[in-house]
Amino acid sequence: HKVVEFIGAQSLNDLKGKTVFDFLHPEDRRTTITNMALGFKDASLLTKYSELRFIRFDGKVVTANVGATVIEYNGKPAIMGVIHDITEKKEIERQLLEANEMLQQISNSDGLTGIPNRRSYDEKLQQEWELAINNNQSISLLMIDIDHFKLYNDAYGHQQGDHCLQVVAKSLQQTLDGTGHFVARYGGEEFSVIIRDCDEKRTFQVAETLRTTIESLKIPHAHSSIGPFLTISIGMSSFNPTREASLHDLMKYADQALYETKRNGRNTVRIN
């Protein structure tokens, strides 16, 4: 009667003449057959516990933990299986996994812009630095600052300033989609992009594309000394790192380059 309930049959008569293979998920049948064949050959080779999927009469897939052992039945070797329904347990595990993934995503995302935050950025930068060393590849940083953002906030209000950050972040991310480059909100009105295995010329082209993309949005900025629209300044540094090199130097040179472009007119890309 437990089998009737588990498999969703109406009565025991629905099960007469059928075997476990009539209900096993197609993707789990071959594994089960192989395991049984090994068990009949040598009982010690039988996998004692397996997580298998079954298809009920109503088509619903259920999951069970199946314990198997070789016994003697009517004077012949047989395999006895004990089926323990763990469908509900697996669903709880799935929901917990989804919840944990969501929490992880939230903890690594900037609450305002939705792109990766500083915490996620620091972890990614360390990973990319190690990969660059191990694979003998270059690594570059772009430090991005929205020009005269304080004046923008003062003129248009903090709510509009937040919206501006969201638009800029989305535009940077969309421009980099599919390139493998990583963009994050570094803090305040600053963003940063991590680029690995890309020579200096191509990295500069990426930076210039980002600069012109933001300028082309034509976000009004009446109090900017550069022009009528919002712009960004970008500082760039590139390394071919070794174990003796310092990740902090890569960041320091990118910061210095950003400082120089802000000091010398803004709305430009400067390489250090």
Side-chain angles (χ1 to χ4, degrees):
H1 295 288
K2 282 291 183 181
V3 177
V4 171
E5 181 184 335
F6 174 67
I7 213 66
Q10 295 297 315
S11 68
L12 285 170
N13 288 329
D14 292 336
L15 303 177
K16 286 182 178 179
K18 297 185 182 298
T19 76
V20 68
F21 293 102
D22 290 307
F23 303 104
L24 265 176
H25 193 285
E27 294 177 7
D28 291 343
R29 287 174 190 164
R30 184 174 295 276
T31 302
T32 304
I33 291 170
T34 301
N35 188 38
M36 291 176 70
L38 289 171
F40 282 127
K41 183 179 180 180
D42 184 343
S44 67
L45 298 176
L46 182 72
T47 301
K48 305 299 182 187
Y49 297 98
S50 302
E51 192 174 288
L52 300 174
R53 292 164 294 174
F54 295 82
I55 301 177
R56 290 165 42 101
F57 273 87
D58 59 7
K60 180 183 176 183
V61 177
V62 290
T63 307
N65 188 27
V66 180
T69 185
V70 179
I71 64 170
E72 185 177 296
Y73 183 71
N74 291 337
K76 295 181 180 180
I79 291 178
M80 180 175 69
V82 179
I83 298 174
H84 177 212
D85 186 0
I86 59 171
T87 306
E88 187 175 341
K89 176 188 173 187
K90 295 299 291 185
E91 176 61 21
I92 292 172
E93 288 177 354
R94 185 191 65 79
Q95 291 178 4
L96 283 173
L97 182 62
E98 283 187 357
N100 286 331
E101 288 175 350
M102 187 178 297
L103 284 172
Q104 184 67 29
Q105 185 176 359
I106 291 172
S107 68
N108 288 330
S109 296
D110 177 59
L112 176 64
T113 63
I115 68 172
N117 59 16
R118 178 65 182 273
R119 173 186 171 182
S120 179
Y121 170 84
D122 289 340
E123 292 176 357
K124 182 69 171 178
L125 182 56
Q126 187 63 51
Q127 292 171 4
E128 293 296 300
W129 178 264
E130 292 295 328
L131 285 171
I133 292 174
N134 294 335
N135 298 320
N136 193 27
Q137 295 172 332
S138 65
I139 182 169
S140 302
L141 274 190
L142 305 181
M143 297 302 296
I144 303 169
D145 187 78
I146 298 178
D147 294 325
H148 301 302
F149 188 69
K150 185 180 183 304
L151 294 176
Y152 184 93
N153 260 337
D154 291 343
Y156 299 100
H158 289 281
Q159 187 173 353
Q160 185 61 30
D162 286 349
H163 177 67
C164 173
L165 289 171
Q166 291 168 340
V167 171
V168 170
K170 183 179 180 181
S171 182
L172 293 174
Q173 191 171 54
Q174 287 180 340
T175 304
L176 294 172
D177 270 353
T179 64
H181 307 326
F182 182 88
V183 60
R185 186 181 180 194
Y186 193 75
E189 68 272 22
E190 286 191 337
F191 301 86
S192 186
V193 178
I194 304 170
I195 301 175
R196 182 167 56 83
D197 195 25
C198 188
D199 62 39
E200 191 174 90
K201 181 179 179 181
R202 286 185 296 155
T203 301
F204 180 84
Q205 290 172 346
V206 171
E208 185 61 18
T209 298
L210 294 175
R211 187 194 67 77
T212 56
T213 297
I214 299 303
E215 191 173 29
S216 68
L217 294 175
K218 296 189 181 302
I219 300 172
H221 191 350
H223 294 269
S224 173
S225 61
I226 300 162
F229 302 116
L230 191 87
T231 57
I232 58 174
S233 297
I234 302 177
M236 169 185 154
S237 66
S238 294
F239 268 42
N240 282 97
T242 64
R243 291 293 173 191
E244 291 72 35
S246 169
L247 175 56
H248 295 292
D249 287 338
L250 177 69
M251 300 174 70
K252 180 179 72 175
Y253 290 135
D255 273 332
Q256 288 175 352
L258 177 61
Y259 174 78
E260 288 299 320
T261 188
K262 288 166 68 174
R263 194 179 70 168
N264 291 286
R266 304 177 188 258
N267 192 27
T268 56
V269 178
R270 186 175 182 89
I271 305 172
N272 191 346

